[in-house]
Amino acid sequence: MRSVIIGTGIGVPANIVTNEALSQLMDTSDEWIRVRSGIRERRYADPGQSSSDLGVIAAAQAIAQAGLTPADIDAVIFATMTPDRLLPGNGPLLQKGLGLRDIPTFDIRQQCSGFLYGLELADLFIQSGRYRRVLLVGAEVHTPFMPWHLGWDTLIGQSTREITEAERAENTLTRDRTVLFGDGAGAAVIEGREGEEGLRLIRLHTDGSGADVLTMHGAGFKRRPFVTHQQIDDGETLPFMAGKEVFRSAVTLMPQAVREVCEASGITVDSLDLVLVHQANLRIIEGVQKALGLPPEKVPHNVERFGNTTAATLPILLHECLTDGLIRPGMNLVFTALGSGLHWGAALYRT
Ligand code: ACO
């Protein structure tokens, strides 16, 4: 038996925020953002719209596309680093929002590698015979990390007020990170089926010595209390990113992981039809493509329209590639991701 993706869906907010709009709020420019990241625009959730809300939209579409109803789902895996609450996780919130049966829901938090780690768990659940149909959701709302109470009203068109110099200066402090991220959700329904189609092999990695490269120092239970006003004032409740180190790790370790699954499966990298790379940054995606010696058309991307949506990038890309007819029966595709942890890996899938 193999784990087969039988339905996909996405939940992306309506607000499209261009690079020009961001340059009204901080010292940045369309050119800087496009040259460094390839991103042209991203989506921002409405105030109050959460990652579980977007996950519900994506999951409902995936279940409908699979020709199923919520009652047919046997287990949920929810991957997010931006849950609605610290506790409980998003699993129970999605279960209530979708009207699922009393089934187990698992919350995982492997950040950008969340969808890949979720695929591994879903496959193990299915192969063990424990659950037949698993709903895997990757969803993020990054906007609460962004300190734009200073101008947020202007950004989403609720005010025409000019941003003050002080607000602009404060927004500029985090511009290296904020311009890269967007909000969104993707989901997949995975079912155990006999036949050639389905997941072939996953290899996952963790290197905790890279934990400080991409992290959030504040709001953690190593401190008493776990969050203080001082930590907020010091910016410790915002993600910290050593951008160049993350870049180097991404363009080295993702190609290694792709080669690893190909070698272990006895196929060549050349024979892959598509490689779906975590959509962090166009320069990273092109770096992976060149390191693998693949033509650009085999490594599709949509980071220019959504930015980095962390656990949601791979399921959103998968859904778009299926919708656009890029993925056809009989193809070898590989998913690969790297993110905070460091966690990374790759999965080989036969359509
Ligand atoms: N607009 C304008 N200028 C900016 C901005 C911005 N948004 N952000 C930073 N700058 C400035 C910096 O202040 C710096 O100015 P200075 O030279 O006067 O000090 C200058 O631009 C250059 O900054 P660098 O950090 O050297 O720029 P770099 O070329 O390294 O690009 C970037 C930064 C885009 C973050 C790059 O390191 C990168 O792509 N890293 C990968 C990180 C990534 O994609 N992370 C996503 C999350 S992790 C994941 O999903 C894998």
Side-chain angles (χ1 to χ4, degrees):
M1 186 154 60
R2 299 190 195 281
S3 297
V4 180
I5 296 171
I6 60 167
T8 59
I10 64 173
V12 294
N15 298 317
I16 296 175
V17 176
T18 62
N19 295 342
E20 285 82 6
L22 292 185
S23 52
Q24 306 303 310
L25 290 196
M26 65 186 82
D27 292 337
T28 192
S29 65
D30 176 52
E31 194 200 351
W32 194 97
I33 301 171
R34 268 191 301 105
V35 168
R36 299 297 206 292
S37 72
I39 297 165
R40 291 198 311 262
E41 60 190 39
R42 71 287 292 145
R43 306 288 181 110
Y44 283 172
D46 280 327
Q49 191 175 37
S50 69
S51 55
S52 82
D53 296 333
L54 296 179
V56 165
I57 297 167
Q61 188 182 11
I63 292 168
Q65 203 193 70
L68 302 174
T69 70
D72 298 315
I73 301 300
D74 301 319
V76 170
I77 303 168
F78 202 125
T80 184
M81 69 166 202
T82 52
D84 298 20
R85 314 174 190 180
L86 216 45
L87 63 154
N90 272 6
L93 305 178
L94 180 99
Q95 186 236 8
K96 180 167 175 283
L98 269 177
L100 298 175
R101 286 184 289 118
D102 166 10
I103 55 166
T105 62
F106 298 84
D107 288 284
I108 64 167
R109 37 172 299 187
Q110 273 70 24
Q111 295 73 239
C112 300
S113 305
F115 189 76
L116 213 51
Y117 270 70
L119 266 186
E120 167 89 322
L121 284 182
D123 189 44
L124 292 170
F125 290 162
I126 288 167
Q127 298 303 338
S128 72
R130 178 76 77 185
Y131 309 114
R132 182 165 169 232
R133 292 193 192 106
V134 178
L135 171 63
L136 172 57
V137 181
E140 307 286 356
V141 169
H142 293 116
T143 34
F145 279 137
M146 301 172 187
W148 298 334
H149 46 284
L150 306 169
W152 176 256
D153 48 352
T154 306
L155 188 70
I156 62 172
Q158 290 181 351
S159 162
T160 51
R161 147 186 105 76
E162 290 282 314
I163 306 299
T164 68
E165 277 311 308
E167 289 173 334
R168 199 175 166 84
E170 191 156 344
N171 292 339
T172 299
L173 291 176
T174 52
R175 64 182 175 177
D176 58 321
R177 282 149 283 167
T178 47
V179 299
L180 300 177
F181 291 92
D183 301 335
V189 178
I190 304 164
E191 181 181 88
R193 287 188 177 173
E194 300 299 335
E196 287 305 300
E197 187 184 353
L199 198 58
R200 295 305 176 99
L201 190 84
I202 304 193
R203 290 286 186 267
L204 300 175
H205 298 273
T206 299
D207 178 5
S209 67
D212 290 338
V213 169
L214 187 47
T215 188
M216 195 169 93
H217 291 291
F221 290 88
K222 195 172 176 177
R223 314 258 187 117
R224 297 179 196 181
F226 78 102
V227 65
T228 61
H229 292 290
Q230 189 63 47
Q231 284 166 254
I232 296 170
D233 291 345
D234 291 346
E236 292 192 358
T237 52
L238 298 174
F240 164 83
M241 180 176 76
K244 288 191 169 68
E245 283 180 68
V246 174
F247 193 97
R248 271 195 295 276
S249 300
V251 294
T252 311
L253 296 174
M254 284 194 280
Q256 264 178 31
V258 174
R259 285 196 203 95
E260 184 185 9
V261 292
C262 287
E263 276 164 27
S265 311
I267 64 170
T268 62
V269 170
D270 293 354
S271 69
L272 295 176
D273 296 292
L274 282 183
V275 177
L276 304 193
V277 181
H278 166 55
Q279 302 288 293
N281 181 319
L282 189 58
R283 288 197 309 162
I284 291 177
I285 298 162
E286 288 173 349
V288 172
Q289 172 236 315
K290 285 175 187 151
L292 291 171
L294 291 172
E297 58 275 17
K298 286 194 174 183
V299 186
H301 44 82
N302 59 11
V303 68
E304 50 274 50
R305 285 180 290 115
F306 295 113
N308 184 349
T309 57
T310 303
T313 76
L314 282 178
I316 293 176
L317 184 66
L318 171 65
H319 179 81
E320 290 205 331
C321 288
L322 285 163
T323 307
D324 295 346
L326 279 185
I327 297 178
R328 296 179 297 280
M331 284 183 153
N332 282 322
L333 43 120
V334 167
F335 299 94
T336 184
L338 173 137
S340 169
L342 296 174
H343 294 293
W344 72 98
L348 177 66
Y349 188 95
R350 178 100 180 145
T351 58

